[in-house]
Amino acid sequence: MTTLLNVQHVSKQYGHDTLALSDVSFSVNEGEFVSVIGPSGAGKSTLLRCINQMVDTTDGEIHFDNAILQQMNKRELRGLRTNIGMIFQHYNLVERLTVIENVLHGRLGYKSTVAGMLGLYKEEEKERGIELLEMLGLREQIYKRCDQLSGGQKQRVGIARALIQEPKMLLCDEPIASLDPNASKRIMDHLKSISRSMGITALVNLHQVDVALSYSDRIIGVSGGKIVFDGSPKEVTQEIIQSIYGSEANDLMVKLGGQNAI
Amino acid sequence: MQFDIFKKKRLSSLLMLAILAAFTYGAMIITQYDVIKGFSSIPKSIHWGLSSFYPTAASLDNLPSILIQLGRTVLTSVAATTVAAVFALFFSLFGSKVTKVNNFLSVLSRGTATVFRNIDVAAWALILLFSFGQSALTGYFALFFVSFGFLTRAFIETLDEVGGHSIEALRATGASYPSIIIQAILPSSTPQMMSWILFMVEMNIRSATLVGILTGTGIGFVFDLYYKSLDYNTASLVVITIVIVILILEYLSNYVRRVVL
Ligand SMILES: Nc1ncnc2c1ncn2[C@@H]1O[C@H](COP(=O)(O)OP(=O)(O)OP(=O)(O)O)[C@@H](O)[C@H]1O
Ligand SMILES: [Mg+2]
């Protein structure tokens, strides 16, 4: 197995006094499905955004696909981002545009500025977009405006937008935090099967410990900007939950060992 | 602690009220404004309005020339607004905190907009009178400057409000800045921006009347002319045409808003 992502001693400081990440190190293999769990404010979103450099690191190095992010110039960074798809809690679609237009936005990173401004998409790109939408069960919605979709449908559009990038890795920042249990399950199933069948590495921030345990190959527990656990879901015990979540742990009511949590 | 906060808020509201009252009273003394006289003169002015400020059949003869001037005023307002909107769009992109290129440009464009917005349209007209004299250009630029300042401010707020989320997503795909602006920002913000532009056109037609009096052009000049020559009947006709135009415009802009939003 080859290592796709290697995070080495990364720290991130916001302003003068907020240390969101301190000396974080871990690596992720190609094709792995890794969940990051931790209490609110632990630094999960910051961690994810450091990996595609939406947030720049204060210290340390991140190696992605044998390149060092901290040494990249602007153009190289754009190239890096085309290889990393991102999925958001609030979907972050352009609500007034149609589903297919939003999906095609995923191709903009590959285009010259002029082609991007004019929105010149190739025929193959359009066909691929439609194919992805059909795969995600959105055949009926292709030409609908996004503000007419349900949350779960919007998230699937978000997934299609990320997939059309042909990414090596997906970063998902709480992809199901705004969804009901049914839609959540559907989204998680999609993410899991995408990771399996397309061999795409996934790093997923989750609030729901039980979901993380049942879907992931590996769990990373973050607390106070530090990694306090890094191991397989089987190794997660009540004590470990306690060490990640502190006093919140008792409210979580995690059914350890339950593989069909949602 | 909690109660202290409420008490403090109530106290500060009372204080504000007292200060306002003191200011009002002070201003009344200085300007020798008599409240009773002020209110009792309202019926008198209504009486005057009804008895002399109405159009007659004779004044209708002046209608064609009034309409021509009114048309000019409307066109000037529209031109000033639309050109100002183009400039405002660029400045607001640099100024908004979600689309800004860097902090320096952001502060600069916000500052510029504030200066232009806070100088009143009449003040602009008077300043510009020195450079352009009594011409349509003076009025045009006065409207243009104020519209530019106002629209920049309004557009910045629109961008701040609608932009954030989708910008983040497109930045994460590696899209370039111009593509992000055109593909994501403009589609989500044009309806609100259109709405502001229509509002500005309405505002400008109103201001144009006033500016016209100062610069001796357009409908304002026509009104001034008839009013000063004591032809109140025609002057009232001018006012009525302005009101009608503004009503039509408001109807049109409401219609456009319904369609684009
Ligand atoms: N742009 C920012 N500027 C300043 N501080 C920030 C910024 N973003 C995050 N922080 C701070 O960094 C810390 C980590 O935030 P982060 O959003 O990464 O947490 P999180 O684990 O994603 O939390 P949540 O589960 O609530 O989303 C918090 O203390 C937060 O206040
Ligand atoms: Mg977060």
Side-chain angles (χ1 to χ4, degrees), chain B residues 62-98:
Chain B
N62 298 318
L63 192 58
S65 68
I66 291 174
L67 288 182
I68 288 174
Q69 289 300 327
L70 188 60
R72 278 194 190 149
T73 300
V74 171
L75 290 181
T76 310
S77 306
V78 171
T81 314
T82 46
V83 177
V86 174
F87 282 86
L89 179 62
F90 283 100
F91 273 73
S92 62
L93 285 173
F94 292 134
S96 159
K97 59 177 181 288
V98 291

Side-chain angles (χ1 to χ4, degrees), chain A residues 134-145:
Chain A
E134 284 174 349
M135 179 191 95
L136 292 161
L138 290 172
R139 181 200 293 268
E140 310 290 319
Q141 279 78 26
I142 294 175
Y143 301 105
K144 271 199 187 157
R145 259 171 59 158

Side-chain angles (χ1 to χ4, degrees), chain A residues 40-41 43-46 49 89 173-174 205 207:
Chain A
S40 189
K44 304 184 296 294
S45 299
T46 304
R49 281 168 177 71
Q89 175 182 349
D173 194 7
E174 315 221 356
N205 281 354
H207 250 113

Side-chain angles (χ1 to χ4, degrees), chain A residues 49 52 54 78 81-82 84 86 88 90-94 96-97 105-106 108-110 112-113 115-119 121 161 165, chain B residues 101 164-180 182-191 259-261:
Chain A
R49 281 168 177 71
N52 61 359
M54 299 290 283
R78 280 187 53 196
R81 287 180 185 155
T82 59
I84 303 179
M86 191 158 192
F88 305 85
H90 298 112
Y91 329 120
N92 296 19
L93 307 172
V94 182
R96 294 179 50 82
L97 296 181
H105 281 166
L108 286 175
Y110 290 100
S112 70
T113 296
M117 281 163 63
L118 298 176
Y121 300 108
R161 177 177 63 191
Q165 289 178 235
Chain B
V101 183
H165 280 313
S166 45
I167 291 185
E168 189 186 22
L170 265 72
R171 277 211 317 139
T173 68
S176 65
Y177 179 79
S179 320
I180 297 177
I182 293 191
Q183 297 297 331
I185 300 307
L186 291 187
S188 26
S189 51
T190 29
V259 173
V260 295
L261 279 177

Side-chain angles (χ1 to χ4, degrees), chain A residues 51-69:
Chain A
I51 291 167
N52 61 359
Q53 291 285 291
M54 299 290 283
V55 163
D56 51 357
T57 48
T58 313
D59 232 330
E61 274 184 2
I62 298 177
H63 297 235
F64 181 85
D65 207 17
N66 298 323
I68 300 172
L69 272 52

Side-chain angles (χ1 to χ4, degrees), chain B residues 112-186:
Chain B
T112 318
T114 308
V115 170
F116 279 95
R117 187 166 41 102
N118 284 323
I119 298 179
D120 187 69
V121 67
W124 273 120
L126 290 175
I127 295 168
L128 292 164
L129 270 177
F130 291 111
S131 347
F132 299 106
Q134 284 211 321
S135 74
L137 226 50
T138 308
Y140 174 82
F141 276 114
L143 293 177
F144 171 79
F145 285 154
V146 175
S147 312
F148 164 71
F150 180 87
L151 286 177
T152 304
R153 174 84 216 154
F155 287 3
I156 284 178
E157 251 152 50
T158 305
L159 290 173
D160 283 351
E161 203 176 304
V162 303
H165 280 313
S166 45
I167 291 185
E168 189 186 22
L170 265 72
R171 277 211 317 139
T173 68
S176 65
Y177 179 79
S179 320
I180 297 177
I181 298 299
I182 293 191
Q183 297 297 331
I185 300 307
L186 291 187

